[in-house]
């Protein structure tokens, strides 16, 4: 079993990741600024209140662990989500490298996936205007920072264009895996439940198949 640090454990994706990790018997140190928000009780779960964007604090908590799984998000309602993502995600990366942890698995976005050669989803004009600051900032972090990062074994897992309708769904354990192109079904829909997204992420944690690269999953 793995001993991991989970950032963003109380969010929509983070909660699914936490449930999947614990259901498989992994040991989890969940980072939260408010420990009371983590209501799950499990002998393999330790909740700590630190600022995950403080490299020194993150490094101290993650030292000796097998991996960091990050579902960090400054908050979709945050009017400064674009600036905060680009300011603070590099600090999480810095903390991960300082800790000596061998792997960093990041909850990515679908925005940088290609819908056709040369055209990324975030540049199609099809996404709601309110989403763009969050989508583009995470995309820029991936394209401009992660893709140039060689000092830690990172993974950026992009979901389908529609991640569970932002609601609890069904865990099937069955999905397709791709790399840089948006996956769509026979109806042209791009969808995966947050539960199956979590399955894909923890599968990668347990059996690494991707190194210093992005991959994507969808039905």
């Amino acid at each position: 079993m793995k001993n991991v640090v989970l950032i963003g454990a109380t969010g929509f994706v983070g909660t699914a990741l936490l449930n999947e990790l614990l259901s498989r018997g992994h040991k989890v140190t969940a980072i939260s600024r408010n420990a009371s928000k983590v209501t799950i009780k499990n002998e393999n779960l330790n909740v700590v209140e630190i600022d995950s964007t403080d490299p020194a604090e993150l490094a101290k908590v993650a030292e000796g662990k097998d991996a960091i799984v990050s579902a960090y998000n400054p908050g979709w309602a945050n009017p400064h989500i674009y600036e905060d993502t680009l300011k603070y995600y590099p600090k999480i990366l810095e903390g991960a490298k300082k800790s000596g942890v061998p792997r960093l698995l990041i909850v990515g976005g679908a925005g940088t996936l290609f819908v056709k050669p040369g055209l990324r989803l975030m540049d199609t004009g099809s996404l709601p205007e309110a989403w763009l600051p969050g989508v583009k900032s995470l995309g820029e972090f991936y394209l401009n920072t992660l893709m140039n990062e060689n000092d830690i074994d990172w993974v950026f897992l992009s979901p389908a264009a529609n991640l569970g309708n932002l609601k609890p769904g069904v865990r099937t354990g069955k999905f397709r895996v791709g790399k840089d192109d948006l996956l769509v079904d026979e109806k042209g829909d791009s969808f995966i439940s947050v539960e199956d997204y979590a399955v894909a992420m923890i599968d990668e944690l347990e059996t690494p198949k991707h190194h210093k690269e992005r991959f994507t999953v969808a039905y």
Side-chain angles (χ1 to χ4, degrees):
M1 294 298 101
K2 301 291 187 180
N3 190 343
V4 305
V5 170
L6 175 61
I7 298 171
T10 59
F12 174 62
V13 180
T15 297
L17 290 168
L18 179 58
N19 288 335
E20 187 68 23
L21 283 161
L22 294 175
S23 73
R24 299 196 196 190
H26 297 295
K27 291 187 176 182
V28 181
T29 299
I31 293 178
S32 176
R33 290 188 179 183
N34 185 351
S36 66
K37 289 186 176 181
V38 182
T39 57
I40 296 173
K41 303 299 181 184
N42 188 292
E43 63 181 5
N44 286 331
L45 174 61
N46 178 40
V47 183
V48 295
E49 287 189 358
I50 70 161
D51 179 0
S52 62
T53 65
D54 182 314
E57 289 192 33
L58 178 58
K60 185 176 180 180
V61 169
E63 185 177 1
K65 303 294 193 298
D66 297 311
I68 294 173
V69 181
S70 177
Y72 171 76
N73 187 310
W76 286 103
N78 179 352
H80 306 293
I81 186 173
Y82 179 87
E83 295 83 1
D84 285 354
T85 299
L86 292 177
K87 178 180 179 180
Y88 292 118
Y89 230 133
K91 292 182 180 296
I92 291 175
L93 177 61
E94 180 186 347
K97 292 193 291 184
K98 282 180 177 291
S99 75
V101 72
R103 297 197 83 203
L104 172 61
L105 295 90
I106 292 175
V107 173
T112 54
L113 293 169
F114 290 103
V115 297
K116 64 181 183 180
L119 181 63
R120 299 184 191 275
L121 177 62
M122 64 184 182
D123 298 321
T124 60
S126 63
L127 297 178
E129 192 72 23
W131 294 6
L132 291 180
V135 170
K136 290 198 169 186
S137 55
L138 189 57
E140 289 175 20
F141 170 66
Y142 162 67
L143 293 170
N144 300 330
T145 301
L146 276 181
M147 288 187 69
N148 295 309
E149 177 55 54
N150 293 306
D151 293 334
I152 191 170
D153 186 8
W154 59 267
V155 169
F156 187 88
L157 175 52
S158 292
N162 186 340
L163 179 55
N165 287 319
L166 298 181
K167 299 177 181 177
V170 177
R171 183 190 188 280
T172 70
K174 298 178 180 179
F175 43 81
R176 292 180 295 152
V177 178
K179 192 171 189 312
D180 290 316
D181 295 328
L182 185 72
L183 296 176
V184 298
D185 62 18
E186 62 278 2
K187 296 179 181 179
D189 295 328
S190 180
F191 182 81
I192 192 165
S193 71
V194 71
E195 291 81 3
D196 278 337
Y197 177 89
V199 171
M201 182 71 89
I202 308 312
D203 282 351
E204 176 65 25
L205 171 72
E206 293 179 348
T207 308
K209 295 181 179 179
H210 302 88
H211 303 278
K212 298 178 183 177
E213 65 179 1
R214 180 256 297 285
F215 71 107
T216 186
V217 290
Y219 296 135

